[in-house]
Structure formats: C-alpha cells, structure tokens
Amino acid sequence: MTTDDVRRFGEQLGIDALGVARAEAYVATEEHIVDRRERGLFAGMKFTMAQPERSCHPETLLPGARTVISAAACYWAPEAPLEPGEGRLARYTWHDAYEELREQLDALGRELGGNYSVFVDANQHVDREAAARSGVGFYGKNTMLITRRHGSWVVLGTLVTDVELDPTPPLDADCGACRLCVDACPTGALDEPGTLDATKCLSYWTQAPAPIPEDYRAPLGAQVYGCDICQDVCPWNRGVEKRRRDLPEQDAHVDLVAWLEADGAALVSEYDRLYVPRNDPRWLRRNALVALGNTGGAEHVELLERHAADDDALIAEHASWALARVLERA
C-alpha cells in the first residue's frame, strides 16, 4: 500500500483525518515536556509527560519501526440544554470515541500488513506530536491539536509500523493573532500561549486527588468533569455543529443529587470512561458538591447540610462551601 492507499482506506473506515510521518525522535517535544516538568506546570499529571524519554521516541515502540500513522476522530455531538440540578461533563467523555478509533487503526494495520502496534489514549506516545508532524492538525495556543475540518473536537490515535510509507506534509495553518482561548480561560491557565499551566487548569482540578482550590470552584459553574471553555471559543471549531447536527444528542449531563447519594462502587462503574483517581467515588462527589454550590437552590440545603457533617473531611469542607454559596443566593 502507498500513502494514498492508506489515506483512502482510512477514509473508508470512517477515520476523520489521517497523516503519515517517519518514526523519528520528537526531540523538541521532549525538551518542551522536560522544561514544563521542571517548572512544575504539570501539577500531579502523569500521562505521556511521565516518561518523555519513551513517549517522544516512536522509533522504540516497535522493532524496526519505520512509520507513524496518525489518525483523528471527531467526537462533537449536539447537547441538550442544561436543566436545574444537572452537572455537565466535558464533550470528549460523552461516548468512547477512543475505542472506535482503536478498532479502526487495528483494521488499518491488518490491511497494511507488516508488524504494527496501535496506541490510543496511551501513555507510551505523544499523539499530538505525530498528528502535527503528519498534517492531521496543528498546535493551537490552547495546546490542543486543531484539525482543519473538525477543529480540536477530535481524539487522536497512532499506528506505528515497520512498513515504509512516504510522509504527508504538515498543515500550513496556525492561530495567527487570535488569542480568544487565552483570554477566555477564567483561571489564566493559558497565559503563556501554547503552554498549559495545569496548576491553574479547571479540567485538571476536576480529576486531581486533592481539594479543589477555592478560587477555582466558582469558575467551574455546573461542570463536574473536564472543561471545554478554550474549545468553545475557538474559531477553528465553528461549523462542526452544522456538519454534525443530525447526530443524536449525547448523554452530556448528570444528576448532581444522584452522584451524591448513589452507591460509590456503582457510581464509578457507571462512569468508568472517566479517569477517577484510584476509582474513589469521593472525587466525583467533591465535584458534584462544587457544582451544586454554583447552581443549586433552596431544595438542596438539607442535602448539603447532611454532607457538611460528613466524617470525610474532604466531603464536609466542599459541602460547607457549597452550602454557604447556596444560602447567599437564598
């Protein structure tokens, strides 16, 4: 198969964007990751940043690796209006687009022949760098990979193979003078465009195994997991809603009271697509309490009072904060 063959087959599989790069070290990316880590900008995040000496070296991920095939799958779907008492999930969590892309890349590997390995949502490889090198997209000032047709509403995956293919060129596109995402971030996490300060990132704090800093609770609003603010304002993301308007509305919202009262194991199991530290439901309940503090009403006072008396200091403190917020509005 040629590179053109691979791209045509990828389109037949339903892959939204596909590009090809050589399996070479990502030297500049590794240096950037090390610099951010030394500056403390990762907070407690691990993922591909934990071992850049591995994740930035696709040539080591497969014996005889020659080529990296990068793929993107759009996950944007229509969203119903947020109802009272509901919390909101970040768009990428509404369904498991990663699993579908994993299956598509595996099918592509079988068709291509040779030896291959697929990496989707995997810590072993920096997918964004492969995608940027191969022209699938470019790095935005919000650090997201932005594609020409679907903006940043994509998940990424990679196929490393020992088959030699001609590389595809990088995109001739960038953010220009636009800084809408930088200015829209309520906590200043993008004040250095192109570099995320995770210690200020709302998405990070919904996943961190620690109390959410008080200054970052109100900006979360009804959000209980992740954050889409920097994507919502991006001009490159405009138009996708028209192309995908015929899709059914996704399960974007959660019942905040149910999150607080559900059996813990059942709650984590129901939302197993989310990263929850140590699968401990208290982190999800912490997020629900913050959302109730921002959006709840008098009907939630008794519930919040009960959780404010919880033996768990984390739950009690966030419930007390939420209760005070609700009473201020009463």
Side-chain angles (χ1 to χ4, degrees):
M1 295 178 72
T2 66
T3 294
D4 287 341
D5 294 331
V6 168
R7 298 184 84 170
R8 279 193 292 268
F9 189 69
E11 186 174 348
Q12 292 173 19
L13 290 170
I15 294 173
D16 291 310
L18 188 146
V20 175
R22 293 188 175 90
E24 299 174 339
Y26 307 150
V27 176
T29 300
E30 183 174 5
E31 292 173 351
H32 181 63
I33 289 174
V34 171
D35 174 67
R36 286 181 62 198
R37 187 170 61 187
E38 291 177 350
R39 293 165 61 192
L41 300 183
F42 288 135
M45 291 196 303
K46 302 295 183 185
F47 309 117
T48 58
M49 293 79 73
Q51 293 183 302
E53 66 278 5
R54 183 182 187 192
S55 62
C56 293
H57 291 270
E59 75 279 8
T60 68
L61 297 178
L62 180 79
R66 293 289 182 271
T67 301
V68 174
I69 300 175
S70 180
C74 181
Y75 60 80
W76 192 95
E79 178 179 2
L82 193 69
E83 300 294 336
E86 288 185 336
R88 186 183 181 278
L89 301 166
R91 283 188 186 274
Y92 79 92
T93 71
W94 296 358
H95 72 283
D96 192 354
Y98 286 115
E99 182 57 32
E100 183 178 357
L101 183 58
R102 187 177 292 110
E103 293 173 357
Q104 290 168 332
L105 283 173
D106 190 54
L108 177 58
R110 292 195 302 270
E111 182 73 11
L112 178 62
N115 297 312
Y116 70 92
S117 291
V118 171
F119 300 91
V120 176
D121 194 26
N123 294 342
Q124 299 99 312
H125 181 252
V126 182
D127 290 330
R128 274 180 290 181
E129 179 60 22
R133 289 184 176 217
S134 63
V136 169
F138 65 91
Y139 285 110
K141 290 180 181 177
N142 61 358
T143 77
M144 307 291 287
L145 194 284
I146 299 177
T147 65
R148 190 178 292 280
R149 181 168 175 78
H150 300 291
S152 60
W153 300 119
V154 294
V155 296
L156 301 173
T158 305
L159 186 154
V160 180
T161 175
D162 59 5
V163 175
E164 189 91 40
L165 292 170
D166 292 331
T168 50
L171 276 185
D172 183 18
D174 57 36
C175 296
C178 179
R179 50 177 290 127
L180 289 176
C181 62
V182 177
D183 295 335
C185 180
T187 57
L190 296 170
D191 282 354
E192 183 181 336
T195 298
L196 174 70
D197 184 349
T199 67
K200 300 178 180 179
C201 178
L202 295 180
S203 182
Y204 166 74
W205 283 110
T206 65
Q207 302 171 59
I212 297 176
E214 285 200 33
D215 288 346
Y216 298 162
R217 295 178 189 179
L220 277 167
Q223 200 76 17
V224 292
Y225 195 90
C227 177
D228 288 331
I229 293 173
C230 65
Q231 298 191 83
D232 286 333
V233 301
C234 178
W236 282 93
N237 287 343
R238 295 172 188 162
V240 67
E241 69 280 358
K242 296 179 182 178
R243 292 190 291 272
R244 295 171 67 88
R245 62 177 175 268
D246 293 333
L247 293 176
E249 292 180 345
Q250 296 292 307
D251 183 16
H253 307 147
V254 304
D255 186 321
L256 295 173
V257 173
W259 267 34
L260 290 170
E261 297 190 329
D263 173 77
L267 178 64
V268 172
S269 176
E270 181 180 356
Y271 292 95
D272 59 356
R273 64 188 183 277
L274 308 182
Y275 169 72
V276 180
R278 296 183 293 278
N279 289 325
D280 188 340
R282 66 203 291 260
W283 306 119
L284 296 180
R285 289 175 175 148
R286 169 203 62 186
N287 297 350
L289 288 166
V290 171
L292 268 185
N294 290 327
T295 66
E299 68 274 21
H300 299 117
V301 168
E302 187 277 330
L303 176 69
L304 292 173
E305 287 177 338
R306 177 155 42 91
H307 282 81
D310 198 289
D311 291 336
D312 185 325
L314 176 91
I315 296 298
E317 191 276 322
H318 284 76
S320 296
W321 177 89
L323 178 61
R325 292 269 295 176
V326 169
L327 292 176
E328 285 177 4
R329 297 192 296 270

